[in-house]
């Protein structure tokens, strides 16, 4: 085992920024009251003010009003809230049809499947080989019964960024609500709700060096959304439960700390990694769109080798990355995203995702590519596939 | 820090034994397919007189447990007679590796099958095999014993997930006692198809789930 470990799975989780922790600390030790106690005592007022300030800052980042930003426990809850909340509000009144893309992340997909079991009809939109939704296909799929379209801003695995402005325009032209899961774009790719016709946006802090357990849902004013979790009257009576004030403060701070230079640096490292891997390791292919892509996402399939073996070998060299291989997944199914973009089992089996973050350096990117080249070559030597090419004696 | 894999598994994964191909083998097999995930190739050299496995090599297109099991079975089988080697079970391989995570059973059982198929291949080539038998419910059940229930790490039959098997005119219908939307439903269906379809007189496999 190496001493220094290099974390390259920043779409799964990120290292907390010390400045975020610093902003959060007083709300654990000094101002730990609940915001709903504002009429009872001073600490409650301070808590309320902190929550309001965080909300204002996050709403601003989305070009929204503070009343349009609801705190949740993370993107899973946000997306559940969006899909199930709209289904509850409009299912009986307007219709029971929902449209999602095939390559959505699990909170959206599983919420859609849960609604399907409850009698809703769900269209799982096909995407092209880069992962992009076809706007014409979307337009054709919308019926009078359609109440919601949920299409992600960028994909969690392959990083492809959808044209949500175009998608939103179609939805609104047809009078249908539009939700987007922006878990992986928030802070990294601009999303201004004043310019983009979107009704709900899922965001989270855990992908941007903020704390885990805090996220949010942007809800455009007037959006019919039923309360889904019952309890108190918090969050404009949309989300019951004690406010996570340290989390909210940390989330806001995490967003403030992202700079355009940082995103540019990530993009540079991303392109460097992709260029080197495709050039130096034979029989590889990039998954996802080359340009319309998250600035920190690299996803490559290596033929003739299996992803879990690659990740384990990389781990022994100190690198943490992820794979879409069936062997790695809890359901023993290969990545639905790779299948969704027309990839076969083999492509999913040998896919590796590297996602960069604030604490990664270019030297680390070079180091992981060097190691990857060795690991792939070793594994190909023991693989029964591609023998004519890599079959030299071990 | 504790890895889900034992030290022995990791050791065999890092340094697999008897890796590669035997040119001109006496028996060989390729189990699995790129379409279903892992693959294992097994090559054997057999002493014609003693029927002992003189040499054995394997190749793997798979995850750590697949590679480690491939490695351990070559060690277990080397020097054994074909009849002895045929009887090596997944449990023995798993024990020799210090245990495998339950969820990984399906990746590792492939290596055992690879060994058995390589032996079968040898027997077929050397006229040691009897004629083709028609598929019976018992044949199907036997094959289903090779399909792992990832929830338990044991096969479908032993864990009572096989509710019913029917056979008619080459169509095999298997009813699995799990809801259709269960986490492992798709993976289990795929594996059943894979195991039953190759039977020479089976035309169609239908897997049904209970609700």
């Amino acid at each position: 085992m190496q001493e220094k470990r290099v974390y390259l799975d920043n779409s799964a989780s990120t290292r907390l920024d010390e400045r975020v922790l610093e902003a959060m600390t007083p709300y654990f030790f000094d101002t730990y009251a609940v915001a709903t106690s504002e009429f009872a005592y001073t600490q409650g007022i301070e808590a309320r003010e902190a929550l309001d300030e965080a909300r204002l800052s996050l709403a601003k980042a989305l070009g929204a009003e503070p009343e349009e930003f609801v705190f949740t426990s993370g993107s899973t809850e946000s997306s559940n809230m969006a899909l199930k909340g709209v289904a509850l509000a409009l299912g009986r009144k307007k219709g029971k049809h929902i449209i999602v893309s095939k390559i959505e992340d699990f909170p959206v997909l599983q919420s859609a499947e849960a609604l399907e079991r409850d009698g809703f009809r769900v269209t799982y939109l096909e995407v092209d080989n880069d992962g992009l939704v076809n706007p014409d296909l979307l337009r054709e799929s919308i019926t009078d019964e359609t109440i919601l379209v949920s299409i992600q801003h960028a994909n969690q695995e392959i990083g492809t960024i959808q044209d949500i402005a175009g998608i939103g325009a179609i939805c609104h032209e047809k009078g249908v609500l539009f939700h987007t899961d922006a878990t992986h774009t928030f802070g990294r790719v601009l999303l201004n709700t004043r310019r983009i016709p979107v009704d709900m946006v899922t965001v989270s802090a855990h992908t941007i060096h903020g704390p885990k357990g805090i996220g949010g849902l942007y809800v455009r004013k007037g959006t019919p959304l039923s309360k889904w979790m019952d309890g108190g009257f918090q969050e404009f009576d949309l989300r019951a439960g004690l406010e996570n004030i340290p989390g909210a403060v940390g989330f806001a701070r995490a967003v403030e700390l992202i700079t355009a230079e940082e995103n540019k640096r990530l993009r540079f490292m991303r392109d460097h990694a992709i260029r080197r891997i495709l050039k130096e390791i034979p029989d590889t292919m990039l998954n996802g769109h080359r340009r319309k892509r998250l600035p920190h996402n690299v996803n490559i399939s290596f033929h003739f080798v299996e992803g879990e073996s690659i990740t384990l070998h990389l781990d022994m060299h100190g690198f943490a990355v992820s794979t879409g291989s069936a062997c790695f997944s809890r359901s023993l199914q290969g990545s639905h995203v790779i299948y969704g973009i027309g990839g076969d089992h083999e492509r999913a089996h040998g896919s590796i995702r590297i996602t960069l973050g604030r604490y990664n350096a270019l030297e680390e990117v070079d180091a992981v590519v060097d190691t990857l080249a060795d690991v792939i070559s070793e594994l190909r030597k023991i693989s029964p596939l591609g023998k004519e090419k890599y079959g030299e004696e071990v | 820090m504790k890895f889900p894999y034992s030290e022995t598994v990791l050791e065999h994964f890092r340094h697999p034994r008897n890796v590669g191909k035997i040119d001109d083998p006496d028996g060989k097999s390729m189990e699995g397919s790129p379409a279903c995930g892992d693959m294992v190739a097994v090559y054997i050299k057999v002493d014609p007189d003693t029927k002992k496995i003189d040499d054995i090599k394997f190749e793997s297109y798979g995850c750590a447990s697949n590679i480690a099991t491939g490695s351990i079975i070559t060690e277990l089988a080397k020097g054994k007679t074909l009849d002895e080697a045929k009887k090596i079970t997944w449990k023995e391989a798993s024990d020799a590796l210090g245990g495998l995570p339950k969820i990984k059973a399906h990746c590792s059982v492939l290596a055992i099958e690879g060994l058995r198929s390589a032996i079968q291949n040898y027997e077929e080539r050397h006229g040691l095999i009897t004629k083709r038998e028609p598929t019976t419910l018992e044949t199907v059940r036997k094959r289903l014993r090779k399909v792992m229930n990832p929830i338990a790490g044991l096969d479908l039959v032993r864990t009572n997930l096989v509710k019913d098997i029917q056979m008619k005119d080459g169509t095999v219908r298997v009813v699995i006692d799990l809801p259709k939307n269960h986490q492992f439903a798709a993976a289990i269906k795929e594996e059943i198809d894979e195991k039953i379809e190759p039977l020479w007189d089976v035309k169609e496999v239908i897997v049904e789930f209970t609700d």
Side-chain angles (χ1 to χ4, degrees), chain B residues 2 6 13 74 89 111 117 133 135 149-150 173 188 192 201-202:
Chain B
K2 204 167 173 304
S6 74
F13 167 63
T74 61
T89 61
S117 302
E133 299 280 348
T135 299
N149 165 7
R173 188 183 302 272
I188 288 173
I192 294 175
D201 54 349
V202 169

Side-chain angles (χ1 to χ4, degrees), chain B:
Chain B
M1 188 193 68
K2 204 167 173 304
F3 251 100
Y5 288 123
S6 74
E7 264 312 311
T8 320
V9 172
L10 289 177
E11 216 284 309
H12 277 267
F13 167 63
R14 267 175 237 154
H15 309 289
R17 332 283 200 255
N18 304 308
V19 160
K21 200 172 190 158
I22 295 178
D23 293 325
D24 190 25
D26 296 328
K28 63 176 177 183
S29 70
M30 182 85 100
E31 285 286 315
S33 73
C36 75
D38 291 353
M39 279 173 86
V40 168
V42 177
Y43 308 87
I44 51 173
K45 273 276 184 200
V46 180
D47 183 312
D49 301 323
T50 60
K51 293 282 180 278
K52 276 189 179 166
I53 297 176
D54 277 347
D55 195 11
I56 176 165
K57 283 196 171 174
F58 86 104
E59 293 169 316
S60 161
Y61 165 63
C63 59
S65 58
N66 183 285
I67 293 173
T69 317
S71 171
I72 201 86
I73 58 133
T74 61
E75 288 200 329
L76 291 175
K78 210 175 216 173
K80 284 209 168 76
T81 65
L82 294 179
D83 283 333
E84 288 166 346
K86 249 190 257 181
K87 290 185 194 122
I88 297 172
T89 61
W90 177 78
K91 178 80 173 51
E92 285 171 59
S94 171
D95 287 348
L97 285 170
L100 282 165
K102 281 178 186 170
I103 194 165
K104 291 295 182 179
H106 82 122
C107 321
S108 52
V109 83
L110 211 54
I112 306 292
E113 281 168 25
L115 172 62
R116 289 182 190 160
S117 302
I119 294 171
Q120 199 180 351
N121 177 259
Y122 174 86
E123 291 176 335
E124 277 170 7
R125 283 210 228 168
H126 294 78
L128 302 170
I129 219 101
T130 42
K131 62 182 187 312
R132 291 207 291 194
E133 299 280 348
T135 299
T136 62
L137 287 180
E138 204 30 59
T139 327
V140 174
R141 188 169 293 275
K142 226 168 145 186
R143 296 252 163 158
L144 290 177
R145 281 181 198 277
K146 289 184 179 178
V147 179
M148 282 291 159
N149 165 7
I151 309 160
L154 292 169
D155 69 84
L156 295 182
V157 178
R158 282 215 349 218
T159 51
N160 297 319
L161 280 189
V162 182
K163 217 177 153 193
D164 194 21
I165 307 170
Q166 292 165 16
M167 268 188 63
K168 210 187 160 206
D169 305 330
T171 299
V172 176
R173 188 183 302 272
V174 181
V175 184
I176 298 299
D177 199 7
L178 274 180
K180 199 168 53 208
N181 54 20
H182 187 274
Q183 180 189 7
F184 295 123
I188 288 173
K189 184 191 168 336
E190 228 173 80
E191 269 203 67
I192 294 175
D193 287 344
E194 226 175 81
K195 291 289 183 302
I196 309 296
E197 265 168 9
L199 287 167
W200 67 277
D201 54 349
V202 169
K203 291 191 202 96
E204 191 189 8
V205 181
I206 299 168
V207 181
E208 282 170 3
F209 292 91
T210 51
D211 278 317

Side-chain angles (χ1 to χ4, degrees), chain A residues 1 117 304-306 308-309 312-313 315-316 327-328 330-333 345-346 349 379 382-385 387 394, chain B residues 3 5 13-14 19 34-38 59-64 67 103-104 106 150 181 183-184 186-187:
Chain A
M1 297 270 167
R117 290 195 288 278
F304 318 128
V305 287
E306 190 278 329
E308 193 214 58
S309 288
L312 264 180
H313 271 294
D315 181 68
M316 289 169 192
C327 295
F328 185 72
R330 293 252 143 227
S331 63
L332 302 177
Q333 288 289 293
H345 209 105
E346 204 206 330
H349 216 45
L379 286 173
I382 73 167
S383 173
L385 299 177
K387 262 276 127 21
V394 188
Chain B
F3 251 100
Y5 288 123
F13 167 63
R14 267 175 237 154
V19 160
C36 75
D38 291 353
E59 293 169 316
S60 161
Y61 165 63
C63 59
I67 293 173
I103 194 165
K104 291 295 182 179
H106 82 122
N181 54 20
Q183 180 189 7
F184 295 123

Side-chain angles (χ1 to χ4, degrees), chain A residues 131-270:
Chain A
L132 289 169
V133 163
N134 177 340
D136 295 328
L137 201 60
L138 170 65
R139 196 187 294 274
E140 286 163 25
S141 305
I142 297 176
T143 70
D144 295 341
E145 293 272 291
T146 312
I147 51 170
L148 178 70
V149 171
S150 179
I151 289 167
Q152 57 191 187
H153 192 190
N155 186 267
Q156 61 283 1
E157 290 180 30
I158 59 171
T160 297
I161 300 172
Q162 303 285 349
D163 170 23
I164 55 165
I167 290 167
I170 294 171
C171 296
H172 282 195
E173 176 198 312
K174 297 259 187 183
V176 175
L177 294 172
F178 174 45
H179 163 252
T180 192
D181 175 0
T183 306
H184 298 283
T185 49
F186 192 42
R188 298 285 177 223
V189 181
L190 197 65
L191 194 171
N192 187 334
T193 57
R194 243 178 264 148
R195 302 229 176 83
I196 290 175
V198 61
D199 301 291
M200 287 171 292
V201 182
T202 289
V203 293
S204 176
H206 78 286
T207 49
I208 45 172
H209 307 284
K212 293 166 186 65
I214 186 85
L217 183 69
Y218 159 80
V219 184
R220 187 179 290 277
K221 256 178 226 153
T223 303
L225 190 68
S226 286
K227 189 173 179 177
W228 176 67
M229 186 145 62
D230 294 308
F233 302 99
Q234 293 91 344
E235 298 298 305
F236 317 109
D237 200 18
L238 273 175
R239 196 266 185 186
L242 180 70
E243 297 99 339
N244 176 357
I245 293 176
V249 170
F251 191 3
R253 186 76 185 117
V255 171
E256 287 161 14
L257 289 171
I258 298 175
T259 59
E261 291 80 71
E262 173 169 288
N263 290 334
K264 207 172 135 192
R265 191 178 77 89
L266 291 174
R267 200 171 296 121
F268 176 79
M269 291 196 293
R270 171 198 76 183

Side-chain angles (χ1 to χ4, degrees), chain A residues 74-144:
Chain A
S75 27
T76 296
E77 190 193 328
S78 300
S79 292
N80 267 270
M81 191 172 161
L83 271 78
K84 293 174 182 172
V86 167
L88 217 53
L90 296 179
R92 251 178 248 154
K93 270 193 258 167
K94 196 187 167 206
K96 292 196 167 220
H97 180 225
I98 287 171
I99 301 172
V100 303
S101 90
K102 255 182 124 160
I103 61 170
E104 293 298 314
D105 209 344
F106 292 116
V108 168
L109 274 188
Q110 298 272 328
S111 293
E113 282 167 23
L115 289 170
E116 224 175 350
R117 290 195 288 278
D118 266 354
F120 283 78
R121 195 166 67 78
V122 180
T123 300
Y124 299 91
L125 269 193
E126 299 281 338
V127 293
D128 70 11
N129 293 339
D130 286 327
L132 289 169
V133 163
N134 177 340
D136 295 328
L137 201 60
L138 170 65
R139 196 187 294 274
E140 286 163 25
S141 305
I142 297 176
T143 70
D144 295 341

